[in-house]
């Protein structure tokens, strides 16, 4: 998201007329040449060009500075404004950002979340993939509360956890209250070099009840994908079929904090890496829960790791309130099972509805 030069509208002759005009600020007798008339009287000689004007005519207004070229694409020439001023402000903001990073003058919360780095750098890196590559369409973002804690529960798929990152961008860019989503991630994320640091900076934390409750108590928006590795690593033939939602721990956490549960359905992630096989031997050697085999990976090497450019839809459903239950309800296994099943069924139903409405995997 060519610089244009300002071209003066006058030529050399008009600049000459400006000079004459400036001289016309005196009287006609002082400025006009004189000559001898038929009777010997002295008469002013006729003046050619711009000076030959009716003495009774209204004097010209002194000309001000030239008007800038207002043609499309022209760069404003006013000092500190327009494109030049905007560029200067961006450069100044960038230098100020670098100074704070180098001097350590920035804030990080107890979980490692760096709000400034996330907003100015990490989201800017994820946004092209979100907007241009997967062309994510977001629905129902108004169902996310504008303030206070809430738990967003979503399906998980795609072999690599790109769906969580795209959901994070969706909330960050589209929620009217500019909320930020704090994702609960598997412990594998926090043992991988580089990935560990980036996840912490983005606001991710370990998927455990203690961390989730601390974030919800602070009024944060927390995201969880209860399917875990069973969902993200399932075969392509089982796409969009939700796996088991664990033991309902996320429901117990929401009940303890009295926060609403917002179901979220993601369509499009299942096809980015069609998983047609799983090399369990390589998975054991590398310490991974699975080692995916797709039509392109590992056969095409690094090129095979490029996801397919599918068209995504992320829909947030109506929140399920939990503040009407007694505190001891979090220990009721029947209630937890019923609420877990309600959330799962709502997500599954929305997935089927979105799949019926989808025209194509890629468009």
């Amino acid at each position: 998201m060519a610089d244009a030069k300002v071209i003066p509208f006058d030529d050399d002759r008009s600049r000459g007329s400006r000079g004459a005009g400036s001289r016309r600020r005196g009287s006609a007798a002082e400025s006009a040449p004189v000559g001898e008339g038929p009777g010997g009287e002295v008469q002013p000689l006729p003046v050619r060009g711009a000076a030959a004007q009716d003495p009774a005519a209204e004097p010209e207004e002194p000309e001000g500075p030239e008007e800038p070229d207002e043609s499309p694409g022209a760069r404003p020439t006013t000092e500190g404004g327009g494109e030049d001023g905007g560029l200067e402000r961006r450069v100044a903001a960038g230098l100020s950002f670098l100074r704070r990073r180098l001097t350590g003058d920035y804030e990080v919360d107890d979980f490692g979340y760096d709000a400034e780095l996330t907003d100015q750098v990490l989201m800017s890196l994820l946004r092209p993939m979100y907007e241009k590559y997967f062309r994510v369409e977001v629905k129902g973002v108004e169902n996310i509360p504008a303030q206070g804690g809430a738990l967003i529960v979503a399906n998980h798929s795609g072999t690599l956890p790109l769906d969580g990152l795209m959901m994070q961008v969706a909330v960050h860019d589209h929620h009217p209250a500019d909320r930020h989503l704090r994702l609960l991630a598997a412990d594998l994320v926090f043992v991988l070099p580089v990935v560990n640091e980036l996840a912490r900076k983005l606001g991710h934390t370990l998927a455990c009840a203690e961390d989730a409750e601390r974030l919800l108590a602070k009024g944060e928006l927390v995201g969880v994908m209860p399917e875990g590795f069973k969902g993200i690593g399932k075969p392509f033939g089982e796409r969009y079929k939700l796996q088991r939602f664990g033991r309902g721990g996320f429901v117990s956490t929401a009940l303890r904090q009295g926060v609403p549960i917002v179901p979220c359905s993601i369509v499009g992630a299942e096809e980015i890496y069609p998983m047609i096989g799983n090399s369990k031997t390589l998975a054991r050697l590398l310490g991974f829960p699975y080692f995916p085999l797709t039509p392109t990976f590992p056969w095409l090497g690094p090129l095979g790791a490029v996801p397919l450019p599918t068209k995504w839809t992320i829909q947030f459903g109506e929140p399920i309130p939990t503040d009407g239950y007694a505190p001891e309800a979090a220990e009721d296994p029947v209630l937890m099972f019923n609420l877990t099943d309600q959330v799962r069924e709502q997500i599954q139903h929305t997935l089927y509805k979105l799949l019926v409405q989808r025209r194509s995997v890629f468009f």
Side-chain angles (χ1 to χ4, degrees):
M1 300 164 168
D3 294 345
K5 297 182 179 178
V6 177
I7 302 175
F9 294 108
D10 55 350
D11 55 12
D12 291 337
R13 289 177 297 175
S14 64
R15 279 194 283 269
S17 68
R18 283 184 197 159
S22 64
R23 289 193 294 272
R24 284 197 302 273
R25 283 194 289 267
S27 65
E30 292 173 348
S31 59
V34 296
E36 187 175 349
E41 69 273 20
V42 177
Q43 294 182 347
L45 294 176
V47 182
R48 297 180 180 179
Q53 296 182 358
D54 186 357
E58 190 172 341
E60 290 186 6
E61 292 290 333
E63 297 191 13
E66 295 180 2
E67 293 293 330
D69 183 8
E70 296 182 358
S71 59
R75 175 177 294 179
T77 57
T78 54
E79 184 176 355
E83 292 183 15
D84 289 335
L87 177 60
E88 290 175 2
R89 286 192 295 271
R90 289 195 294 270
V91 171
L95 293 176
S96 178
F97 173 79
L98 289 176
R99 178 188 61 78
R100 289 193 299 273
R101 307 311 299 186
L102 293 174
T103 59
D105 186 19
Y106 57 91
E107 295 183 358
V108 176
D109 73 1
D110 296 339
F111 298 92
Y113 170 50
D114 190 333
E116 183 184 49
L117 184 68
T118 297
D119 292 338
Q120 298 192 23
V121 178
L122 299 180
M123 284 294 164
S124 298
L125 295 176
L126 292 172
R127 197 167 287 119
M129 178 178 287
Y130 174 91
E131 294 179 348
K132 306 299 183 183
Y133 199 78
F134 293 134
R135 296 146 290 146
V136 181
E137 179 183 0
V138 180
K139 299 180 179 180
V141 71
E142 66 277 0
N143 289 321
I144 301 175
Q147 57 185 0
L151 188 66
I152 296 181
V153 182
N155 60 303
H156 206 13
S157 61
T159 305
L160 291 181
L162 296 181
D163 51 358
L165 297 176
M166 296 300 103
M167 183 172 64
Q168 198 170 0
V169 179
V171 174
H172 183 275
D173 287 3
H174 294 279
H175 196 277
D178 298 326
R179 303 209 64 179
H180 183 77
L181 181 63
R182 308 291 296 270
L183 286 175
L184 302 180
D187 35 359
L188 176 63
V189 172
F190 301 104
V191 299
L192 297 175
V194 182
V195 175
N196 171 30
E197 290 297 324
L198 291 176
R200 289 290 184 187
K201 296 294 185 183
L202 272 167
H204 301 180
T205 189
L206 190 63
C208 63
E210 292 78 10
D211 284 1
E213 289 185 20
R214 285 177 59 194
L215 288 171
L216 292 172
K218 292 170 57 178
E220 297 282 357
L221 199 61
V222 178
V224 62
M225 295 174 164
E227 290 177 283
F229 292 122
K230 298 188 301 296
I232 195 174
K234 62 178 177 286
F236 185 67
E238 298 180 13
R239 60 191 179 279
Y240 299 115
K241 295 178 181 178
L242 293 183
Q243 306 299 301
R244 185 170 173 267
F245 269 22
R247 301 176 181 177
F250 69 92
V251 171
S252 176
T253 301
L255 287 169
R256 287 193 181 95
Q257 296 300 319
V259 299
I261 300 173
V262 181
C264 176
S265 303
I266 304 174
V267 165
E270 291 276 16
E271 294 90 359
I272 61 173
Y273 295 112
M275 186 170 166
I276 58 176
N278 177 20
S279 177
K280 296 182 179 180
T281 302
L282 285 175
R284 284 196 300 269
L285 290 174
L286 298 174
F288 294 161
Y290 57 88
F291 188 89
L293 303 176
T294 75
T296 58
F297 182 82
W299 330 114
L300 299 182
L303 185 62
V306 177
L308 296 178
T310 58
K311 175 74 170 61
W312 287 34
T313 301
I314 299 178
Q315 179 163 336
F316 299 96
E318 294 185 4
I320 299 172
T322 63
D323 54 354
Y325 296 96
E328 59 270 14
E331 308 300 329
D332 185 351
V334 176
L335 177 62
M336 284 196 298
F337 174 81
N338 289 336
L339 284 177
T340 301
D341 193 55
Q342 180 182 351
V343 174
R344 186 178 180 278
E345 287 300 320
Q346 188 168 334
I347 294 174
Q348 184 70 80
H349 176 74
T350 305
L351 286 175
Y352 288 148
K353 183 175 66 174
L354 292 175
L355 289 171
V356 170
Q357 296 172 353
R358 184 169 68 166
R359 295 176 302 171
S360 167
V361 173
F362 299 100
F363 303 103

